[in-house]
Structures are given as structure tokens and as C-alpha cells.
Amino acid sequence: MASVARQTSRRTFKFPFFQVFAGLGLLLILVVLLAPQIVVIGAAFTETRYMTFPPEGFTLDWFRRMFDYRPFMPALETSLKAALGATVLSLVLGTAAALGIARYKFPGRTFLSLFFLSPLVLPTIIIAFAIFEFMQATRMTFSLRGIIFAHTVICFPYVFRSVLVSVQAVDSSLEEAAASLRANPFQVFQKVTLPAIRPGLLAGAIFAFIISFDDLIVALFLTGPRIKTLPVIMYSYTTDGLDPVIAAISTTLIVAASILVIVLEKTFGFSKLV
Amino acid sequence: MLLVAPATIFLALLFVLPGLRILSFSVMQERPSAGESPVWTLDHYEKLFTQPLYRSIMTRTFKIAFMVTIVNLLVSYPIALGIVRIRNSWIRAFLVFAVISPLLTSIIVRTYGWMVILSDRGPVNRFMMWLGVIDEPYRMLYNELGVTIALVQVFVPFMVLSLVSAIQTIDPSLEQAAASLRANRLQTFLKVTLPLSAPGIVTGSVLVFILTLGSFVTPVLLGSARTMMAAVLIRDQILGLFVWSFPAAVTTVLLVATLVLLLIYGRIVRRWSM
């Protein structure tokens, strides 16, 4: 960079229109990208009875009211349980499927891996409708078990994809070497494969958790008066107007997600995840 | 084979079989109860394609998906180019943060943010009135403009990630070669960078188009009856009117559109790889 700058300065000074223009454009785009998150955080501290930005005055009252809002804690609990359940189930199904696709050759392998990824590329409303039909037939609607199964359908492809990428990066001759040293298949997986695919597992698990925790469409079909996830109560809260309580809940979620990312970054390094 | 079996059975039970049942409901009068034999009919498709209300919902869905994809591409390309080409690590890190942070923020939260920003009393309207550009608030909520703006922001990360992985594979020396042949910046971009990043453009566009086709949260919160989109229609019919066959027809149309798109995409990718 320095040498380029020196070269330009030797010539007659020209105002760098291109760079300034491009820089301003990029800045504007970034503001738009970050705007909704910033606005929601700001609106959580307003003293007015409606959400507004910039906030008028400063109060922490809406955070206190968040806990007073009766459906909040049970919904948070349901969402956490559902996300945890769906992540674990997705990890089991996704890792097995990724190992099967990567390590064994059989006819229809390409088709099968496209099939496993299909919930990623089909509109979620279609998946929600299909799962709703299944739950109706098996009478599993309005249960935590139903939500966990349903979320596994939309979370599993993320685990499958990220584990597949990391399995393919593992040298399979290492596994063969372990097997030739009389390690049984389970030992091979535990001692050789598992440590090597850990970043893939972690990335998949994070994606699965976020997708489940954030899902509204599928949950809308499966929740009822007795069981609701956090996105569902946030969605139904809108009928009561744009009360800043919803901004307080949102701010809490943003802060929680940021802490999670920072902890993961410190522990594992984010570059390995993406 | 044993490894891929659980995932295959799981997806088949929860998603494929009920999905096929839904497709069959679309040509029946109504979902048959146990023991009832179905009455076959094409009425639902006729209703969908001829009644102005439903036809306008379908055309609007595809129109908004198209608009969102185009605007998204224009916004995302400079960001992706910046992430790959900018050498200053601080600016780069900030760009990556700006793109990743929406992914970690609930889609409902972001939509609430847009409700505040675009409302009559929101910062955009107040700023424009202060400037004197407009005398009274310009309506951006509950119409197609607001829905489109918010959908672009919601799906920018998906487009940027597709573009980044394509632009990363371009050898910078090709651009330097073009520059050494006296191509100016614009020519270099149009003749070298843009064509070489085409795979990323196509992948990202197909992804965003499909995601928008099935989007629910944003149109339902920022839209109104006049801006209804297909996914909202499906939800209202099932959970509001408790009918299955008509929404099944809407679902079938969305599914066919998605599959056609993916098929064309597959063709293009295969031609490139040869």
C-alpha cells in the first residue's frame, strides 16, 4: 500500500473521487445493515410508552417489565429446551449421515446428500406445512417432543453440511491406519475421526441452535395455548402495539448472542468456525 | 449404509411422506378424514389462478422476490468485494461483523427494528421532514416498499457469503494483468471481476429468491392485507380457516417454482464446471 501511495503522490495530486465515493457508499450500506439492531437496542431504553428512536429519556423499566410479562419465562424455557433437544438430535443424525456419505461408496450417494440438504433450499413454509400434517396424523402437536422433532428437520442439514466438509478434509488413511492397528470402528471414530471433525461439529451445533431458537414459522403450527416458544410470544405480542418491552426482550437476545460469540471466539477462534 | 439410514428414515417420515400427502390434497376437495374416500378436483388451482385476490397474491410474491433479489445483489456486491479485497484488517473485520451480526439477531427482532425505523414517527421520516424534503410523513410501513427494504436487509448475509466464496477464488493477478493492459478500474471490473464472480452471483440470487418466496415473518409484521404474500396466505388458510386443500395448492405452486429454479441452477453450474 505504502509504495502505491508514494507513486501517486509523485504525480500531481488528484482528489481520490473513486475511493471517497466507494467508501461513502459502503458506509451507507453498512449503516442500513446494522440499523435495525441498533434501533431496537436504543428503543429498549426509551421513557415513552411506544418504541421510538432516538430514545426519549432513559429508563431500565422495560427490562423489569419483561420479567413481569407472564408468558416470558415459560416461553424462554421451552425455546431453550427445544433448541437443545433439536441440536443434540441433529448432531447425532447429521454426523452419522455425513460419515456415511463421505466414507462409503454406494449408488445414489449424490442424490442422498442433495436430499439431506433439501430442507435448506425449500421455502420453510412448505416444510412447516408438511411437518404439521405429520403431527396431525400422529397427534404430536402442542408438545415439546413435537417441536424438537420438527426443529430437527430444519436444523439437521446445517450439521450435516458442516460435518461433511470437515470429514472430507480428514485424511481417511489415518482411519485405515487405526483400523489396521486393531482399533474397532467405535475406537477409530472416538480417537481419530472425532477430534478431527470437532470444529465442524461445533459450527453445525451453533447453527442448529440458532435456527431452532429463531424459528417462528414451524413453531406457529405446533404451539398452542399451553406451550409456546419465545418467537411465538414475541410475535403475538405485536397485537398489543409496539410496546418497548419487546425491544427489551430483543436487546437481551442480542446481548446473549454477542456474549456467546465472544466466548466461542476466545475459546475456539472464530476463523475456524466460518 | 447403516449410518445414513436414521437420517433418511427421519426425513422420509416427517417431511417427504406428509409432503406428498399435501401435494395430493391439492387435487382433492378437502383433506379426507379416516376411512373417507377422496373426491378429486382441480377447483383449487382454478381458484388460485383465476380469482383476482389470489392471483394478485401470487404475482406479488414473485414480484417482491425478484425485486428483493436484484436490490440485494446491488447492496451485497460492494460489501463482498470489500471483504475480499480491502487490506486494512480493521475495516475488513468491521465489514465481516456487519454481515455476521444480522445472522445472530433474531429475524423478528430485526423486523421490529424496521417497524421503528420506517414508522411515521421514525427517524427516516423525521429526518426528511427536518430537511424539508417532505411536509408530512411518507408512508413506508404496511406497503410493498417497507416489506422489500426489510427483506433485503434480512437476506443480505446469505448473498454476501455466496459472493465472498466466489470472489475469493479470483486470482488478483488477473485484475493486475488487465490494469497493466491499460484497462481502467471500471473496465477491469466489468471484463474480469464481474464475469469471474458469476457463479457466486447465480448461487446467491437463487438462494435469496427462494428464501423470499417463502418468507413469512417480514411480510406479516411489516405488511398488510394489501401486501399479503404466499406464505402468509398458506398460514391464514390452515390456522385461520382450518382448510387444507387450497393452501396445499398454493404450496404446490411454490414447490414447483422452487424446483424449476433449482433445476435451471443445476444446469448452469454443470455447464460451467465442464
Side-chain angles (χ1 to χ4, degrees):
Chain A
M1 277 309 245
S3 66
V4 178
R6 226 174 290 126
Q7 277 172 10
T8 17
S9 64
R10 229 180 282 144
R11 277 187 264 154
T12 50
F13 178 75
K14 271 202 302 188
F15 186 70
F17 278 108
F18 185 85
Q19 280 89 335
V20 170
F21 191 69
L24 282 178
L26 211 54
L27 197 68
L28 185 73
I29 291 168
L30 289 180
V31 168
V32 172
L33 260 185
L34 295 174
Q37 291 91 284
I38 294 169
V39 163
V40 164
I41 294 174
F45 299 98
T46 185
E47 277 174 18
T48 52
R49 291 193 49 78
Y50 51 89
M51 290 212 288
T52 184
F53 190 89
E56 289 162 24
F58 180 86
T59 176
L60 291 173
D61 205 35
W62 301 114
F63 287 92
R64 192 179 54 74
R65 295 236 202 137
M66 173 174 91
F67 292 103
D68 293 345
Y69 181 55
R70 208 170 268 267
F72 176 68
M73 287 311 276
L76 180 65
E77 195 189 325
T78 308
S79 271
L80 287 174
K81 279 183 186 162
L84 207 64
T87 306
V88 171
L89 200 53
S90 300
L91 278 176
V92 175
L93 292 176
T95 311
L99 283 172
I101 294 281
R103 287 289 176 262
Y104 301 96
K105 286 207 160 48
F106 51 90
R109 215 167 53 117
T110 323
F111 175 78
L112 204 59
S113 86
L114 285 177
F115 170 61
F116 288 152
L117 290 171
S118 64
L120 270 184
V121 290
L122 294 179
T124 321
I125 187 79
I126 298 183
I127 300 166
F129 194 3
I131 294 171
F132 183 54
E133 164 65 24
F134 171 81
M135 298 292 172
Q136 287 283 312
T138 56
R139 296 176 197 284
M140 246 200 283
T141 33
F142 314 137
S143 70
L144 182 64
R145 197 168 42 134
I147 301 173
I148 291 177
F149 282 149
H151 278 178
T152 305
V153 175
I154 53 171
C155 298
F156 149 86
Y158 290 92
V159 176
F160 171 72
R161 189 179 58 177
S162 61
V163 174
L164 186 65
V165 170
S166 51
V167 172
Q168 279 165 344
V170 178
D171 191 350
S172 59
S173 62
L174 287 176
E175 290 167 356
E176 284 155 20
S180 74
L181 294 167
R182 301 205 171 191
N184 64 37
F186 182 73
Q187 286 172 320
V188 173
F189 177 74
Q190 197 198 358
K191 302 269 176 182
V192 180
T193 321
L194 189 61
I197 62 171
R198 195 162 284 154
L201 282 172
L202 187 72
I206 292 170
F207 267 114
F209 194 90
I210 290 175
I211 297 293
S212 164
F213 200 74
D214 197 25
D215 163 73
L216 173 65
I217 306 184
V218 175
L220 264 185
F221 282 87
L222 301 178
T223 50
R226 273 206 255 133
I227 186 160
K228 281 186 161 69
T229 62
L230 198 54
V232 172
I233 65 150
M234 286 173 76
Y235 167 72
S236 47
Y237 199 89
T238 38
T239 45
D240 307 352
L242 281 179
D243 189 316
V245 167
I246 211 77
I249 299 179
S250 304
T251 305
T252 313
L253 290 182
I254 294 176
V255 171
S258 312
I259 292 174
L260 183 72
V261 169
I262 293 170
V263 170
L264 289 172
E265 159 74 29
K266 292 279 177 223
T267 333
F268 304 98
F270 205 65
S271 52
K272 283 180 206 152
L273 297 180
V274 183
Chain B
M1 286 301 267
L2 265 176
L3 285 169
V4 293
T8 314
I9 295 166
F10 183 80
L11 277 191
L13 270 181
L14 263 88
F15 168 49
V16 181
L17 291 179
L20 292 174
R21 270 171 67 92
I22 287 172
L23 296 188
S24 74
F25 293 159
S26 77
V27 287
M28 292 177 195
Q29 210 139 49
E30 195 35 68
R31 179 177 192 258
S33 9
E36 224 176 43
S37 59
V39 184
W40 305 101
T41 175
L42 282 173
D43 284 358
H44 303 295
Y45 288 100
E46 198 195 325
K47 187 172 150 193
L48 184 61
F49 289 119
T50 54
Q51 285 197 12
L53 171 67
Y54 300 122
R55 214 172 55 187
S56 69
I57 292 175
M58 294 313 279
T59 26
R60 182 181 307 117
T61 305
F62 282 90
K63 197 184 90 186
I64 290 183
F66 185 74
M67 287 295 295
V68 167
T69 309
I70 299 291
V71 178
N72 193 325
L73 189 58
L74 294 177
V75 171
S76 301
Y77 205 97
I79 302 178
L81 203 58
I83 288 179
V84 181
R85 289 284 185 263
I86 287 177
R87 299 227 193 104
N88 183 318
S89 61
W90 281 100
I91 300 178
R92 261 192 57 153
F94 180 67
L95 282 174
V96 173
F97 167 76
V99 172
I100 299 284
S101 88
L103 273 182
L104 296 170
T105 318
S106 151
I107 191 165
I108 303 179
V109 173
R110 284 187 279 159
T111 308
Y112 281 127
W114 283 112
M115 283 171 102
V116 176
I117 297 170
L118 301 175
S119 69
D120 288 354
R121 284 184 291 199
V124 176
N125 264 319
R126 272 194 286 177
F127 181 67
M128 288 206 296
M129 276 158 71
W130 178 78
L131 277 181
V133 186
I134 46 171
D135 294 326
E136 49 189 64
Y138 185 75
R139 236 180 142 62
M140 291 176 285
L141 271 190
Y142 314 117
N143 57 28
E144 288 179 22
L145 178 68
V147 175
T148 308
I149 294 176
L151 279 175
V152 168
Q153 193 262 352
V154 166
F155 295 136
V156 155
F158 296 92
M159 183 74 93
V160 171
L161 293 178
S162 312
L163 289 173
V164 163
S165 56
I167 298 175
Q168 260 172 349
T169 60
I170 302 175
D171 189 347
S173 64
L174 289 173
E175 287 165 4
Q176 286 158 11
S180 74
L181 294 166
R182 299 208 172 191
N184 62 34
R185 274 167 183 276
L186 187 67
Q187 285 169 326
T188 310
F189 175 73
L190 289 178
K191 304 256 169 174
V192 180
T193 319
L194 195 60
L196 285 173
S197 62
I201 294 175
V202 174
T203 306
S205 302
V206 168
L207 191 63
V208 169
F209 192 89
I210 292 173
L211 285 169
T212 316
L213 271 191
S215 62
F216 173 81
V217 179
T218 313
V220 89
L221 289 179
L222 294 183
S224 64
R226 279 174 296 119
T227 62
M228 194 186 260
M229 289 173 69
V232 187
L233 177 66
I234 294 173
R235 197 281 313 252
D236 285 358
Q237 296 274 327
I238 304 171
L239 297 180
L241 301 173
F242 303 108
V243 294
W244 295 69
S245 285
F246 182 63
V250 182
T251 305
T252 311
V253 173
L254 280 190
L255 182 67
V256 169
T258 308
L259 292 179
V260 167
L261 211 63
L262 289 174
L263 217 64
I264 298 173
Y265 172 70
R267 276 278 169 84
I268 298 177
V269 170
R270 205 171 311 147
R271 184 164 305 167
W272 269 328
S273 60
M274 280 196 309

